[in-house]
Amino acid sequence: MRRSLVVGNWKMHGSQESVIHLLNDLNEQLGGLEGVDMGVCPPFVYLPLVADKLAGTQIAWGGQDISHCEAGAHTGDIAAEMLGDFNCRYVIVGHSERRADHGESSERVAEKYLRALNAGLTPILCVGETLAEREAEQTLNVIGEQLQAVLGQFGSGRLDSMVIAYEPVWAIGTGKTASPEQAQQVHRFIRETLARESEILADSTRILYGGSVKPDNAEALFAEADIDGGLIGGAALIAEDFAAICRAGI
Ligand code: PEP
C-alpha cells in the first residue's frame, strides 16, 4: 500500500517574515498528523529558516530545482549536495515553469534527476501537457516522452521507487483542475508505463497530482486509485488550506 505524499511548492513567494508565520502556522496545524507524508519546497534562500523550524517535525523540506552540473564554476546555480547540506529530503525537477522559463529539455531534466539520486535526495519528477497538446490529443505522447527521458537513462535496475507529479500545465495556477477522471486516466498511463520497466517500480512509485488542488477538490482527486497525493502551489501558502489538503491524503 502506497502512503500518500503532499508537497507544497512555494515557488518564488515569501519574505523572512511571511515564511516564519507560515512555518509557525504549519507546525500548529500539522503537528502530530499521522498517516500521510508531507513536505514543503521553499525558495532556496529560506531553506536554513525552514530547516531550523521544521527539524524534528513530520514535515520534510526540499528544493524547487537543482543544477544539472556538479559543484563548480556555475554562477547562480545550486548543486544537489548543497540541498543535502540543509537536510533536504526532496527536490522538484522538471517543473513546467522551469521547462518553459528556462528552456529545460527532458534530457536536461533527466540529468538533474540523476544528480538528485546521487546526492541522496528524492527527486519529484514533474510531467504534464500544455492545453494545445491536450487539444491536439497529444497528452499521453507528451507524458510518455517526458517519462522515457528518465526511464531510458536508468532502466529498472536503478529505480526501486519514484515520485512523479502529473501537472497539466493548463491547470497550474489557473484555478482549472483536471477532473478526477481526467487525472486518473493519465496517472494510470504513467503507472502502466512504469510497469513495462518493472512491476515493483510501478507498485511502489507515488504519482502525485498537481494543478489547482484546493481543500474542496483534494479528497475527490486523492480518492482515485492511482493518485497518491499532490504537489500543491498556491494553496500551500495558506497553512489552513495546506493542512486540509494533507488531511485529505490520509
Ligand atoms: C505547481 O506549481 O506545482 C502547482 C500545482 O500550482 P497550483 O497548485 O497553484 O496550481
Side-chain angles (χ1 to χ4, degrees):
M1 189 60 193
R2 293 176 297 272
R3 189 175 152 99
S4 296
L5 169 64
V6 179
V7 176
N9 172 13
W10 292 1
K11 308 195 185 192
M12 199 169 72
H13 292 292
S15 62
Q16 294 202 58
E17 196 185 345
S18 72
V19 165
I20 289 170
H21 274 134
L22 181 55
L23 290 166
N24 287 341
D25 290 350
L26 286 175
N27 276 330
E28 207 177 288
Q29 299 266 346
L30 292 171
L33 190 70
E34 301 281 352
V36 57
D37 289 337
M38 302 174 283
V40 295
C41 296
F44 291 129
V45 291
Y46 300 124
L47 275 173
L49 196 53
V50 169
D52 183 48
K53 286 262 180 197
L54 296 183
T57 73
Q58 313 272 63
I59 312 169
W61 55 93
Q64 297 175 14
D65 182 46
I66 42 166
S67 172
H68 64 288
C69 299
E70 63 184 25
H74 302 287
T75 303
D77 284 344
I78 301 285
E81 289 72 18
M82 294 171 179
L83 294 188
D85 210 14
F86 285 90
N87 296 321
C88 287
R89 183 174 307 164
Y90 300 107
V91 62
I92 298 170
V93 295
H95 192 282
S96 60
E97 286 157 13
R98 297 222 43 104
R99 290 181 194 254
D101 298 352
H102 299 270
E104 286 187 10
S105 64
S106 291
E107 290 65 37
R108 177 54 48 84
V109 172
E111 289 171 340
K112 293 183 176 206
Y113 194 96
L114 182 59
R115 289 274 171 221
L117 282 190
N118 287 342
L121 302 168
T122 298
I124 300 173
L125 172 65
C126 296
V127 297
E129 82 287 4
T130 62
L131 185 58
E133 289 163 343
R134 175 161 281 266
E135 286 174 349
E137 298 184 3
Q138 288 303 308
T139 299
L140 300 186
N141 289 339
V142 169
I143 307 296
E145 175 271 323
Q146 291 172 340
L147 267 182
Q148 211 45 55
V150 170
L151 294 177
Q153 272 227 19
F154 298 103
S156 53
R158 181 83 203 272
L159 299 166
D160 24 314
S161 69
M162 299 174 75
V163 178
I164 295 172
Y166 167 54
E167 299 206 304
V169 178
W170 48 271
I172 295 180
T174 58
K176 284 187 206 150
T177 321
S179 68
E181 298 73 27
Q182 279 176 318
Q184 167 60 21
Q185 188 203 16
V186 178
H187 281 233
R188 158 78 27 198
F189 168 78
I190 293 172
R191 206 173 302 285
E192 284 169 357
T193 305
L194 297 175
R196 285 199 289 279
E197 295 290 328
S198 136
E199 287 289 342
I200 296 174
L201 175 64
D203 283 346
S204 58
T205 291
R206 291 186 286 188
I207 309 174
L208 316 183
Y209 170 76
S212 298
V213 178
K214 306 286 176 207
D216 62 0
N217 59 23
E219 213 165 296
L221 286 159
F222 297 171
E224 293 292 335
D226 291 293
I227 301 184
D228 306 309
L231 183 57
I232 317 300
L237 298 169
I238 303 163
E240 218 171 45
D241 287 1
F242 187 67
I245 295 168
C246 289
R247 284 194 289 272
I250 297 173

